[in-house]
Amino acid sequence: KSCIDSIFATLGTVRVQIIVIDNGSTCADTLEYLSELEYSVSLIHPTSSILVIRDDGDFNFSRLMNLGAKNAKADTLLLLNNDTEAIHEGWLENMLQHAVREDIGCVGAKLIYKDETVQHAGVILGLGGYAAHSHRGFSRDHPGYFNRLQCVQNFSAVTAACLMIRKDIFNEVGGFNEEFKVAYNDVDFCLKVKKAGYRNLYTPGAELYHYESKSRGLDTTEEKRTRFNYEKDLLRHYWSDLIDKDPSYNPNLTTSYENFSIRVQ
């Protein structure tokens, strides 16, 4: 509810179709809210629409994104986690102005934790051995390494917690690989888009709060850890050449931390 309310509070005159993929909700309040969404949206933003699709299968982020994209009518898709909250007007238009450029594939936003520090400002391959977020933990207003937090720039990947892409490109690369049920599916997707000849980029002109893993929870059980390790190995299986040498990251910088410090051999 907070996510959808924030979209309409910052939407202005842009017309959207919102697709909610309900992955097995059981809470009575949630089900009641979802059942009333179509009517409430017609009152709040008459030119927009909403579609709720029920999916009772096991959680598989990739499958759910593919299902949403298949049912979308628009030419441009915005993948958006339900634990996000838009902050200011113009964020959607800011992402859209890049997504419609012929050479651009995935467009990622600046995501902020509740404590006003950075959660995501682009994904760097090789961090921690696989991939991690640029500038995580920096102050929201910090300029970043050589002002990178404040600049539109290329990245090999961005998070799908808030990712915009044209639907024709989404279909061209075959959508998300459903082998990646939870982790690294967005990295794999972005690298497929990059391989297809498009540039992925980050824009600081779109800021949203991201209450990370609020609804799904963290990978704390043995079963979840096993699945996470499998998906890490899967990412390296497909993209080891790029993971070991991200073309959007200086090889003299660390792969142990997310702060752009000098690599220590």
Side-chain angles (χ1 to χ4, degrees):
K1 186 177 186 303
S2 296
C3 176
I4 291 175
D5 286 350
S6 74
I7 292 173
F8 287 114
T10 58
L11 195 55
T13 59
V14 179
R15 182 166 59 111
V16 299
Q17 177 199 28
I18 293 180
I19 298 176
V20 176
I21 307 295
D22 175 20
N23 185 219
S25 296
T26 57
C27 172
D29 289 341
T30 300
L31 296 174
E32 181 180 3
Y33 169 70
L34 293 177
S35 69
E36 296 173 350
L37 261 180
E38 185 175 355
Y39 174 72
S40 62
V41 167
S42 67
L43 297 177
I44 298 170
H45 208 270
T47 61
S48 294
S49 63
I50 197 155
L51 173 65
V52 178
I53 299 175
R54 178 81 178 190
D55 183 294
D56 288 327
D58 292 339
F59 182 83
N60 181 322
F61 182 87
S62 297
R63 189 189 74 249
L64 300 177
M65 292 301 99
N66 290 340
L67 177 60
K70 181 180 179 181
N71 285 274
K73 297 177 180 178
D75 294 330
T76 306
L77 307 173
L78 175 72
L79 314 182
L80 189 65
N81 279 19
N82 63 344
D83 57 355
T84 57
E85 187 175 336
I87 299 172
H88 57 80
E89 291 187 7
W91 67 276
L92 195 62
E93 294 92 329
N94 184 276
M95 298 184 74
L96 185 61
Q97 70 177 342
H98 297 295
V100 297
R101 294 163 56 190
E102 290 186 3
D103 60 327
I104 298 301
C106 301
V107 179
K110 185 178 184 179
L111 302 183
I112 310 298
Y113 285 120
K114 190 176 181 179
D115 66 358
E116 300 292 325
T117 60
V118 173
Q119 190 267 341
H120 168 271
V123 172
I124 296 173
L125 306 179
L127 289 190
Y130 298 90
H133 291 181
S134 157
H135 292 99
R136 189 198 300 264
F138 279 58
S139 169
R140 174 181 175 183
D141 298 323
H142 195 287
Y145 178 73
F146 279 85
N147 215 44
R148 287 189 66 164
L149 266 177
Q150 310 301 335
C151 295
V152 175
Q153 67 204 264
N154 296 334
F155 273 94
S156 292
V158 294
T159 181
C162 181
L163 184 155
M164 186 176 285
I165 188 169
R166 298 197 307 276
K167 189 174 182 179
D168 61 331
I169 302 177
F170 187 96
N171 292 334
E172 179 185 341
V173 302
F176 277 69
N177 182 346
E178 296 183 13
E179 290 181 278
F180 293 91
K181 294 182 179 181
V182 180
Y184 299 115
N185 37 55
D186 46 5
V187 178
D188 174 75
F189 176 74
C190 287
L191 295 181
K192 289 199 299 180
V193 171
K194 180 179 175 63
K195 185 178 181 180
Y198 301 95
R199 291 190 294 119
N200 301 318
L201 61 77
Y202 152 82
T203 173
E207 289 185 311
L208 299 91
Y209 289 115
H210 185 201
Y211 311 113
E212 192 174 23
S213 301
K214 185 175 179 64
S215 58
R216 194 189 67 82
L218 301 173
D219 292 323
T220 54
T221 68
E222 186 61 34
E223 180 182 357
K224 287 183 176 181
R225 283 195 292 267
T226 299
R227 188 266 312 145
F228 179 64
N229 289 331
Y230 169 76
E231 291 171 351
K232 285 198 302 185
D233 293 341
L234 198 61
L235 182 71
R236 182 164 283 281
H237 170 72
Y238 284 121
W239 304 106
S240 60
D241 55 334
L242 289 177
I243 290 174
D244 292 331
K245 192 175 181 180
D246 188 338
S248 297
Y249 189 63
N250 192 310
N252 296 301
L253 299 179
T254 183
T255 55
S256 299
Y257 306 100
E258 297 159 313
N259 61 3
F260 290 80
S261 57
I262 298 297
R263 180 193 293 262
V264 178
Q265 299 295 344

